[in-house]
Amino acid sequence: MAQLNLNDIERIMLSRGDEQYSGEPVSHMMHAMQTAALALQAGSSNSLILASLLHDIGHFLIDLSGTPSERGINDQHEYRAAHALKSCLPKSVTEPIRLHVKAKRCLVCDPQYFAQLSEDSKRSLQLQGGTMNSAERAVFEQEEFHQAALELRRFDDLAKDPSFETQSWESYWALAEKLRIA
Ligand SMILES: [Fe+2]
């Protein structure tokens, strides 16, 4: 699978952003920018704000239409994204993205967390491996960026609100130029 440069990333986000976020009342772009806005509001690092903005770009890196989880397909978007971004952005951006699905599998150990997930998130959870067992959790907690991934996941879950207004794309995307490694 191809590596992306910053121009490719921005082009994909701007050209595909109007598509509806599967099973949710917001577009992909609204979801991306709301996730970044929540990270900014929480005082997160620039890396985590940018990771939040780009965390779901992997959904655009495979040719699947509609809501894949409804058809029993795990699109593995977290791995696709982390791989595609790693030649131009640092690990502090790509690792929270790679781990954000594992973060969900860790957080669902708390029944209250599970209860507030959207229907699509609950359905995709099963395809993604379900709730982590204690051995999987111990491995996850050894990951350098697991805390950042857990934070990203909390922003992600709240970023599905059609009435939530954010700053412009440019204001978040400016962080990519600051953080780029190539
Ligand atoms: Fe997301």
Side-chain angles (χ1 to χ4, degrees), residues 5-40:
N5 61 37
L6 288 194
N7 287 340
D8 297 328
I9 297 167
E10 185 174 36
R11 179 177 44 75
I12 290 168
M13 293 295 289
L14 294 180
S15 64
R16 303 285 305 272
D18 283 346
E19 294 176 24
Q20 197 200 350
Y21 188 85
S22 66
E24 310 291 354
V26 290
S27 68
H28 269 280
M29 183 55 85
M30 289 166 73
H31 177 63
M33 295 213 295
Q34 288 179 11
T35 310
L38 289 162
L40 181 66

Side-chain angles (χ1 to χ4, degrees), residues 1-166:
M1 191 172 43
Q3 306 270 300
L4 302 176
N5 61 37
L6 288 194
N7 287 340
D8 297 328
I9 297 167
E10 185 174 36
R11 179 177 44 75
I12 290 168
M13 293 295 289
L14 294 180
S15 64
R16 303 285 305 272
D18 283 346
E19 294 176 24
Q20 197 200 350
Y21 188 85
S22 66
E24 310 291 354
V26 290
S27 68
H28 269 280
M29 183 55 85
M30 289 166 73
H31 177 63
M33 295 213 295
Q34 288 179 11
T35 310
L38 289 162
L40 181 66
Q41 276 175 22
S44 303
S45 66
N46 285 345
S47 292
L48 190 52
I49 297 167
L50 187 62
S52 297
L53 185 72
L54 300 177
H55 74 279
D56 274 340
I57 193 171
H59 288 307
F60 300 135
L61 304 178
I62 180 172
D63 190 15
L64 291 173
S65 57
T67 305
S69 68
E70 282 180 350
R71 306 198 301 278
I73 297 169
N74 174 9
D75 68 4
Q76 307 213 348
H77 68 286
E78 71 277 29
Y79 299 115
R80 292 175 194 283
H83 176 77
L85 304 181
K86 71 181 181 190
S87 62
C88 64
L89 292 169
K91 278 189 168 181
S92 57
V93 177
T94 61
E95 283 291 278
I97 294 176
R98 182 177 69 82
L99 294 169
H100 83 276
V101 172
K102 284 200 166 115
K104 174 170 108 175
R105 294 184 55 218
C106 179
L107 287 165
V108 289
C109 295
D110 174 357
Q112 284 186 338
Y113 176 84
F114 177 81
Q116 53 83 51
L117 286 178
S118 68
E119 285 312 306
D120 188 56
S121 273
K122 285 178 182 164
R123 189 168 46 230
S124 60
L125 172 67
Q126 298 314 317
L127 298 169
Q128 290 158 343
T131 307
M132 277 184 170
N133 61 35
S134 55
E136 290 171 322
R137 201 167 164 174
V139 172
F140 173 69
E141 287 170 356
Q142 292 298 312
E143 294 276 5
E144 181 181 356
F145 291 97
H146 79 279
Q147 283 294 354
L150 291 167
E151 288 172 46
L152 196 167
R153 187 68 221 183
R154 298 246 184 225
F155 306 140
D156 185 4
D157 293 326
L158 295 172
K160 299 171 181 178
D161 176 355
S163 64
F164 177 4
E165 293 197 13
T166 67

